[in-house]
Amino acid sequence: MPDRTGSLPLDEQPPQLRNFLARSANDNRRSICSPHSVGGRRVTPQLDARAFSSISTLRHAVASLDGHYDRGVNPTVRNLLEPLGPHASALGAAVLAIPFLSPVSLGPVTAPASMLIVLFGLQLLRRSSGKPLPTRLLAVPLPAAVKGVLAAVLTRVDRVMSRFSRPRLNLLVDGRRGRMICGFGVICGALLLAIPIPLLPLTNTVPSFAILCFGLGLTERDGLMTLTGFVSLASGVALFAAFGTGVFVLAGELIRGLLGIVFG
């Protein structure tokens, strides 16, 4: 009769075979991760950089909300953020920025979302990792419609990220410095997003895209995406400056015309 021990789980294998398999796994791990010589040069193999995908993690976190809806209970913000672990602040800011990527300005609706994004940014600036939001905000329920929109948008974003994003320019995204850079960029983008200009197009799109770049750049360890976030911030500042200058000039001409009518 053929031996079927190879089809058993590891913890059910005979002790001798279990020890042999454990030693073999350790030897393989050392051979994969240890430096070796190629063409006379010492080379250290790199692990797969896409082993962690922030968007895929977000998609799984959103999909996990279905269990709550199936029980007839609305999940909360805490249920969405908990599966994200130490990336909750950066990815939470990115999630909140996604609805505002539309070129149509949403006006005063951006104010409360901007304040939440600022809280995420402040958490990134802190030395110790804690709750990404206050307890009261973590208890806010998430309607099923929100989950559907997030799932659809994240599918598209994941398709783009898998093509273009990869670890690079690690100086901008690694360690404490990376969190500080990302937190500063997220807060600046949120402050731009909070400026209430309901009719001018792209006033929501540019800062929300910057926030998305900072959040995903940190979690994907993509420094080029972080640089793109700074470029987007600069573009947003230029856009608002041009709008403010135009309003100032237009107001001056209007006042001058009214004075001309009144005083002849």
Side-chain angles (χ1 to χ4, degrees), residues 196-212:
I197 305 180
L199 299 179
L200 186 66
L202 301 180
T203 54
N204 288 167
T205 305
V206 176
S208 59
F209 180 71
I211 296 168
L212 187 67

Side-chain angles (χ1 to χ4, degrees), residues 52 81-91 123-124 129-130 179 218-219:
F52 172 80
L81 296 180
E82 277 185 346
L84 305 180
H87 304 287
S89 296
L91 294 182
Q123 180 62 31
L124 289 170
S129 59
R179 287 177 61 89
L218 179 66
T219 54

Side-chain angles (χ1 to χ4, degrees), residues 57-65 68-69 75-85 87-88 91-92 95-96 120 132 138 140 142 146-147 150-151 154:
T57 303
L58 267 176
R59 291 177 63 188
H60 292 148
V62 171
S64 69
L65 302 179
H68 298 272
Y69 295 122
T76 63
V77 174
R78 183 190 301 273
N79 299 128
L80 176 63
L81 296 180
E82 277 185 346
L84 305 180
H87 304 287
L91 294 182
V95 166
L96 282 177
F120 282 124
L138 290 174
V140 173
L142 295 174
V146 173
K147 182 261 178 184
L150 283 177
L154 289 174

Side-chain angles (χ1 to χ4, degrees), residues 246-259:
V247 170
F248 180 78
V249 172
L250 182 61
E253 292 296 329
L254 181 61
I255 292 174
R256 185 179 305 171
L258 289 175
L259 292 177

